Amino acid sequence: MVGSTLTLLRSTKEATRVSGLYRVNEWHTSDGARQAIVNKDGIETILNSASLSAASDPPTCNLALHLLNDLCRYDGAKDKLMALDGVTTARAACDSMEKQLGTYEAQGCREMATQLEESLSKSVR
C-alpha cells in the first residue's frame, strides 16, 4: 500500500500529491510503513511536495515538512535528506511562502525547517 501512496506523491497534479501526503500522515503511521517510505525514496518525493506546494498551499507544505521531521528517526532518512540538501530546499520553500503570503504565514514553515536542520545536525556530531 505504501507503493501506491508514493505514486500519488510523484504525480504532477497538485491535488493528487496532497492526497498522497495525507495518506502518509493518516494511514502509514506504523514504524514498518514509515521505514518503507524512507527505503522507497519517499524522502525525495515528500521534499519535492513541500517545495512545489509552498506558495500555493502552505498547509500542505507544512505537512510535508512535518512528515520529513518525523521520518528523520528512521534508518537512512537523515543521510538521504543531507544528500538532497533538504534543509536548503525546506528554507527555499519557506522563502517562497513568505514572498507570496507574508512573514506570518511562513512562520510555521520556518520553525519546521529549523527543526529539520537541528535533527540533521545531531547526526553529524
Side-chain angles (χ1 to χ4, degrees), residues 11-25:
S11 174
T12 58
K13 296 181 180 178
E14 184 174 1
T16 305
R17 284 192 312 274
V18 170
S19 176
L21 284 172
Y22 281 92
R23 281 175 68 165
V24 170
N25 192 52

Side-chain angles (χ1 to χ4, degrees), residues 107-121:
Q107 183 177 356
C109 182
R110 292 209 181 280
E111 290 170 2
M112 283 184 270
T114 298
Q115 183 182 352
L116 188 62
E117 181 177 36
E118 290 169 357
S119 292
L120 295 180
S121 69

Side-chain angles (χ1 to χ4, degrees), residues 31-102:
D31 286 339
R34 293 285 168 109
Q35 186 64 59
I37 289 166
V38 171
N39 294 346
K40 295 182 178 189
D41 295 326
I43 295 287
E44 184 173 2
T45 55
I46 293 171
L47 187 61
N48 187 48
S49 292
S51 182
L52 292 172
S53 64
S56 62
D57 189 358
T60 297
C61 176
N62 289 341
L63 175 58
L65 293 178
H66 166 77
L67 289 170
L68 290 171
N69 275 301
D70 183 63
L71 290 170
C72 278
R73 60 192 168 116
Y74 296 96
D75 290 341
K78 289 181 180 181
D79 291 337
K80 289 180 182 193
L81 278 164
M82 289 169 51
L84 294 166
D85 205 8
V87 172
T88 300
T89 302
R91 291 201 184 284
C94 299
D95 290 345
S96 176
M97 187 185 299
E98 183 173 352
K99 184 177 179 179
Q100 293 293 320
L101 304 169

